[in-house]
């Protein structure tokens, strides 16, 4: 019984002992040989001898799972030396970066042309159909008399009826889309009963809404089906809610020929609204335009044949991303299976449980990022194919998917930089000489004069600071939302930047970054002295709190995480059970003993001749 207790104590001590190297380095120089000798003597002092230790005298099953684990956590370069497998996954990822970026660039050009065409036509419709329209007063365009309401209403209809003779662009009417099969519908909405007597402070209103419409056709179409002329349309101002004029126009975007594309056929759904729901004496007027893109019938461009090159390229991108998705999913699955095997071995042979921190070591976050990127790219490519075949017009959704996927792909490039020697170890620079060393040594203050571990510093700083930053942001978000709601309710009626909750959030975020401070103060209306005084206190306290305190604390969290990493050589390194278990495998990648290891190759990159230490891999995994 006592012997068993002593053996368990020794095994526990071996698990938690500090290990300088994990057996993944291979040295040829005399200095390295001496270092390895010192490490061996150190390990012999900390780990049990073969007579007393269960690990050193491990059976073949234990050595096999230890080699599997060590191979799984090897750097891609070591994996290449261990098994000699070519980095096919790396080639696929590099290819995906270029083709996804090229696909986004091609879609960006088409999307820009489509959006520009829609916006320019919207501006054209405003100048044609809105009387005395001024672009500078777009948000405040309104009329204030009954005569002006009628004038603007009849002006719009008359301009519509004479559109072919007046407009510079080429537009066509769309028939049988409105009331009674007409091309244009003129409607008013009003309360079923509305009697308001301000003199006696009385009113009688039935809130049910009634809609009254008539149809109007261009002069070239017989109007025998229309019950009345639009000139006789009478508005019930005492209970009027709004007046709407709706019609459709067709147009062709021929500027796509410049990009070697077949022109698109557009159908514009135009709605002009005269809003009187406030009953404040001000009738706001605005124009809305929605564009539908359809495939043109019998397109004919001289010297231009129908080409499926873009569709073929989109299909190729989808196939490459699908293959990447399958490979990354397979790597994640193999990691999970190896995790289960390791957990089962620890439980059955050592009678111990594996902590969640060790379990999560088997889940590679970069693979998850690539999988999300592949899903977005495939979905966006399908929508893009639909847009190019004129069966879909979801430009915005496609742009969001392709843009996000490209962003994730380029963020994933950071992972590849760690496999370049200059991004991982110090070199001779500015009089500083450094040999190959572990991560902790390269972060010491004496090494800051050379370009050391640029990528690892960034990733690990974010990793350490992320939990504190998230908790800090949650606390700050409560205060921020309080200011948003307060500003929206109190200042909204008096300040244009506080009219909606989203606008308040945008304004306050701009103030945090120091933008538009004077404009925000100066645009505050002084019609209410009490609200104006409150606005000054509101803005001064928010700016002082968030700029001088919140931002400073936020930066301090990031700086503190960096300082923690830089000075971690002065603190003992915590070695988990998983790390210590793998560290006892001293087989070099070039020893040939990994040729029979059955595990995922996971070779994303192999671009250097050096050997990465096991510590480097774990710290950035």
């Amino acid at each position: 019984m006592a012997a068993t207790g002593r053996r368990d104590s020794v095994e526990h001590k071996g698990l938690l002992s500090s290990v300088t190297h994990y057996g993944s380095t291979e040295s040829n120089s005399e200095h390295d040989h001496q270092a390895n000798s010192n490490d061996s003597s150190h390990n012999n002092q900390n780990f049990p001898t073969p007579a007393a230790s269960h690990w050193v005298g491990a059976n073949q099953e234990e050595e096999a799972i230890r080699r599997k684990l060590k191979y799984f956590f090897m750097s891609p370069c070591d994996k290449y030396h261990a098994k000699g497998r070519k980095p096919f996954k790396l080639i696929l990822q590099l290819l995906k970066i270029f083709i996804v970026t090229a696909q986004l660039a091609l879609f960006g050009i088409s999307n820009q042309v489509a959006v520009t065409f829609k916006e320019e036509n919207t501006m054209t419709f405003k100048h044609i159909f809105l009387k005395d329209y001024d672009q500078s007063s777009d948000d405040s365009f309104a009329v204030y008399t009954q005569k002006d309401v009628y004038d603007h209403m009849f002006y719009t209809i008359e301009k519509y009826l004479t559109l072919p003779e007046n407009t510079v662009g080429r537009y066509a009417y769309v028939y049988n889309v409105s009331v009674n099969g007409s091309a244009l519908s003129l409607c008013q909405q009003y309360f079923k009963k509305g009697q308001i007597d301000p003199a006696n402070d009385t009113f009688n209103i039935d809130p049910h809404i009634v809609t009254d419409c008539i149809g109007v056709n261009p002069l070239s179409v017989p109007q025998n089906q229309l019950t009345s002329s639009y000139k006789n349309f009478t508005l019930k101002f005492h209970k009027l809610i709004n007046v709407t004029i709706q019609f459709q126009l067709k147009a062709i975007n021929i500027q796509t020929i410049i990009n070697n594309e077949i022109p698109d056929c557009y159908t514009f759904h135009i709605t002009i609204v005269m809003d009187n729901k406030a009953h404040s004496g001000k009738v706001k007027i605005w124009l809305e335009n929605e564009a539908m893109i359809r495939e043109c019938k019998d397109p004919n461009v001289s010297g231009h044949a129908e080409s499926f090159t873009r569709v073929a390229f989109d299909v190729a991108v989808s196939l490459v991303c699908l293959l990447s998705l399958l490979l990354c999913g397979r790597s994640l699955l193999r990691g999970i299976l190896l995790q289960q095997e390791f957990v089962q071995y620890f439980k059955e042979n050592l009678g111990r449980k594996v902590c969640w921190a060790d379990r999560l070591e088997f889940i590679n976050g970069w693979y998850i990022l690539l999988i999300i990127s592949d899903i977005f790219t495939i979905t966006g490519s399908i929508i893009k194919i639909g847009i190019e075949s004129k069966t879909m017009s979801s430009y915005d959704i496609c742009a969001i998917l392709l843009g996000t996927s490209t962003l994730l792909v380029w963020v994933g490039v950071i992972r590849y930089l760690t496999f370049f020697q200059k991004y991982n170890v110090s070199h001779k620079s500015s009089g500083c000489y450094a040999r190959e060393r572990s991560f902790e040594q390269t972060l010491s203050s004496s090494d800051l004069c050379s370009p050391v571990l640029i990528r690892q510093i960034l990733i690990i700083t974010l990793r350490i600071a992320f939990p504190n930053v998230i908790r800090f942001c949650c606390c700050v978000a409560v205060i921020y939302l309080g200011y948003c709601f307060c500003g929206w309710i109190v200042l909204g009626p008096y300040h244009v930047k506080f009219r909606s909750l989203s606008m308040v959030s945008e304004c306050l975020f701009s103030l945090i970054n120091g933008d538009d401070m004077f404009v925000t103060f100066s645009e505050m209306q002084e019609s209410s002295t009490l609200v104006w005084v409150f606005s000054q206190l509101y803005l001064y306290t928010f700016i002082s709190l968030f700029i001088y305190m919140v931002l400073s604390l936020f930066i301090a969290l990031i700086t503190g995480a960096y300082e923690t990493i830089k000075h971690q050589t002065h603190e003992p390194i915590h070695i988990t059970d998983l790390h210590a278990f793998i560290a006892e495998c001293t087989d070099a990648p070039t020893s040939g003993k990994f040729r029979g290891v059955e595990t995922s190759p996971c070779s994303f990159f192999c671009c250097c001749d050096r050997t990465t230490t096991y510590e480097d891999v774990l710290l950035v995994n």
Side-chain angles (χ1 to χ4, degrees):
M1 181 74 66
T4 304
R6 287 194 300 271
R7 185 181 62 183
D8 294 339
S9 176
V10 172
E11 289 179 359
H12 181 72
K13 181 180 180 182
L15 275 172
L16 299 179
S17 60
S18 177
V19 182
T20 304
H21 293 284
Y22 292 80
S24 62
T25 57
E26 186 178 23
S27 305
N28 295 323
S29 64
E30 181 181 355
H31 175 80
D32 294 338
H33 178 72
Q34 183 179 358
N36 290 338
S37 299
N38 294 335
D39 291 343
S40 299
S41 62
H42 176 73
N43 290 338
N44 290 335
Q45 294 174 3
N46 287 277
F47 288 97
T49 60
S53 173
H54 172 72
W55 281 10
V56 177
N59 54 24
Q60 294 182 355
E61 179 185 359
E62 182 176 352
E63 290 298 328
I65 189 173
R66 187 174 282 129
R67 285 196 183 97
K68 284 184 181 181
L69 292 171
K70 181 174 181 179
Y71 180 82
F72 181 80
F73 289 108
M74 277 184 183
S75 70
C77 295
D78 286 346
K79 290 181 179 179
Y80 175 75
H81 294 308
K83 283 194 172 184
R85 292 184 178 179
K86 302 299 185 298
F88 296 109
K89 195 182 296 183
L90 160 67
I91 298 174
L92 182 66
Q93 294 302 322
L94 292 179
L95 175 63
K96 191 178 75 172
I97 291 174
F98 289 106
I99 62 177
V100 167
T101 305
Q103 182 191 42
L104 180 68
L106 293 175
F107 176 77
I109 296 174
S110 301
N111 187 33
Q112 185 177 5
V113 171
V115 172
T116 302
F117 184 74
K118 177 186 176 182
E119 291 180 349
E120 290 180 352
N121 277 275
T122 301
M123 187 57 60
T124 300
F125 297 149
K126 289 181 179 180
H127 282 279
I128 292 178
F129 299 116
L130 299 182
K131 184 180 180 181
D132 301 328
Y133 173 74
D134 184 8
Q135 186 174 351
S136 61
S137 61
D138 192 8
D139 296 333
S140 59
F141 188 68
V143 293
Y144 302 91
T145 64
Q146 296 184 11
K147 181 178 182 300
D148 289 338
V149 174
Y150 278 112
D151 289 344
H152 279 73
M153 182 177 65
F154 295 150
Y155 177 86
T156 298
I157 298 176
E158 291 171 359
K159 287 297 182 182
Y160 171 79
L161 297 176
T162 60
L163 183 65
E165 293 80 15
N166 296 328
T167 182
V168 176
R170 183 67 175 174
Y171 299 102
Y173 298 117
V174 180
Y175 301 99
N176 300 323
V177 293
S178 298
V179 180
N180 298 326
S182 60
L184 180 145
S185 62
L186 173 61
C187 301
Q188 64 171 328
Q189 288 185 334
Y190 52 88
F191 294 115
K192 187 175 182 180
K193 180 186 293 185
Q195 295 178 357
I196 303 175
D197 189 1
N200 298 323
D201 297 331
T202 59
F203 62 88
N204 183 14
I205 297 177
D206 185 348
H208 293 87
I209 298 176
V210 178
T211 302
D212 185 14
C213 297
I214 64 170
V216 179
N217 270 323
L219 298 179
S220 59
V221 178
Q223 301 185 9
N224 52 0
Q225 296 181 354
L226 301 181
T227 57
S228 61
S229 172
Y230 70 91
K231 291 287 187 179
N232 298 326
F233 192 70
T234 303
L235 300 178
K236 300 175 176 59
F237 285 100
H238 61 285
K239 53 183 178 180
L240 179 67
I241 299 176
N242 62 53
V243 178
T244 59
I245 302 175
Q246 295 180 323
F247 55 90
Q248 298 181 17
L249 295 175
K250 285 186 175 182
I252 300 177
N253 183 11
I254 61 174
Q255 62 178 330
T256 56
I257 299 177
I258 302 175
N259 299 325
N260 199 27
E261 298 180 17
I262 297 297
D264 298 325
C265 290
Y266 286 74
T267 300
F268 296 107
H269 298 257
I270 303 168
T271 302
I272 299 174
V273 181
M274 301 179 183
D275 186 12
N276 188 46
K277 62 183 178 182
H279 285 267
S280 60
K282 177 181 178 180
V283 179
K284 300 178 182 178
I285 302 177
W286 68 83
L287 182 146
E288 298 175 353
N289 179 31
E290 294 182 4
M292 296 294 295
I293 304 176
R294 291 191 176 93
E295 184 178 5
C296 296
K297 299 178 181 178
D298 300 327
N300 185 10
V301 181
S302 301
H304 185 280
E306 187 173 3
S307 176
F308 298 96
T309 305
R310 289 178 179 266
V311 176
F313 179 72
D314 294 332
V315 173
V317 172
S318 300
L319 293 177
V320 171
C321 291
L322 179 61
L323 181 58
S324 173
L325 175 65
L326 295 176
L327 292 177
C328 293
R330 185 192 64 173
S331 298
L332 281 177
L333 179 60
R334 289 186 173 182
I336 294 174
L337 295 177
L338 184 59
Q339 177 205 82
Q340 295 176 353
E341 184 179 355
F342 173 70
V343 171
Q344 184 178 4
Y345 175 83
F346 246 55
K347 181 179 180 180
E348 295 179 354
N349 294 273
L350 301 180
R352 302 183 57 177
K353 293 183 178 180
V354 179
C355 64
W356 281 104
D358 284 343
R359 290 171 182 259
L360 293 178
E361 293 281 356
F362 293 87
I363 308 299
N364 195 324
W366 293 107
Y367 292 156
I368 298 176
L369 182 141
L370 292 175
I371 289 175
I372 296 174
S373 173
D374 292 333
I375 294 175
F376 284 175
T377 304
I378 294 173
T379 307
S381 299
I382 294 174
I383 297 177
K384 185 172 181 290
I385 293 173
I387 292 174
E388 291 172 347
S389 61
K390 313 307 177 187
T391 58
M392 302 177 67
S393 59
S394 304
Y395 275 90
D396 294 338
I397 297 177
C398 184
I400 292 174
L401 291 173
L402 294 182
T404 305
S405 66
T406 307
L407 171 63
L408 296 179
V409 167
W410 280 100
V411 169
V413 174
I414 299 177
R415 179 178 186 266
Y416 304 148
L417 297 180
T418 187
F419 307 134
F420 284 102
Q421 193 174 12
K422 291 184 179 181
Y423 285 85
N424 269 304
V425 296
S426 300
H427 287 277
K428 177 179 179 181
S429 175
S430 303
C432 294
Y433 296 87
R435 294 180 57 83
E436 187 180 54
R437 61 194 69 186
S438 66
F439 175 74
E440 292 80 4
Q441 291 174 325
T442 55
L443 281 178
S444 61
S445 59
S446 60
D447 292 331
L448 295 179
C449 55
S450 59
V452 297
L453 287 170
I454 298 174
R455 178 261 182 189
Q456 292 185 359
I457 292 175
L458 172 63
I459 297 300
I460 301 172
T461 301
L462 293 177
R463 181 178 178 180
I464 293 178
F466 185 75
N468 292 331
V469 169
I470 292 299
R471 286 190 288 268
F472 179 74
C473 289
C474 290
C475 296
V476 172
V478 177
I479 306 175
Y480 186 81
L481 287 176
Y483 269 93
C484 287
F485 285 111
C486 179
W488 175 39
I489 297 300
V490 180
L491 305 183
Y494 302 94
H495 202 297
V496 66
K497 291 185 178 181
F498 291 81
R499 294 293 165 80
S500 65
L501 194 59
S502 61
M503 294 177 66
V504 174
S505 179
E506 294 168 0
C507 177
L508 295 182
F509 189 79
S510 299
L511 290 177
I512 294 176
N513 292 276
D515 297 336
D516 295 335
M517 284 193 179
F518 178 77
V519 176
T520 304
F521 277 95
S522 62
E523 288 185 356
M524 183 64 198
Q525 300 178 12
E526 300 184 14
S527 56
S528 175
T529 304
L530 181 61
V531 175
W532 182 85
V533 172
F534 178 85
S535 70
Q536 302 303 300
L537 295 174
Y538 174 88
L539 293 175
Y540 276 116
T541 55
F542 177 82
I543 293 173
S544 301
L545 176 63
F546 276 82
I547 291 183
Y548 302 128
M549 295 182 63
V550 172
L551 279 184
S552 299
L553 291 174
F554 185 86
I555 296 173
L557 290 175
I558 306 296
T559 306
Y562 173 74
E563 293 295 331
T564 301
I565 297 172
K566 189 175 70 172
H567 296 98
Q568 62 181 312
T569 53
H570 303 295
E571 301 177 359
I573 305 173
H574 175 67
I575 303 299
T576 64
D577 293 352
L578 173 63
H579 302 170
F581 183 78
I582 300 174
E584 289 197 19
C585 180
T586 58
D587 298 330
T590 56
S591 63
K593 296 182 180 180
F594 294 91
R595 298 283 176 173
V597 175
E598 294 295 335
T599 185
S600 175
C602 299
S603 298
F604 267 79
F605 212 96
C606 184
C607 55
C608 54
D609 294 331
R610 72 174 188 89
T611 303
T612 307
T613 63
Y614 179 70
E615 297 150 312
D616 295 342
V617 179
L618 287 178
L619 285 169
V620 300
N621 187 11

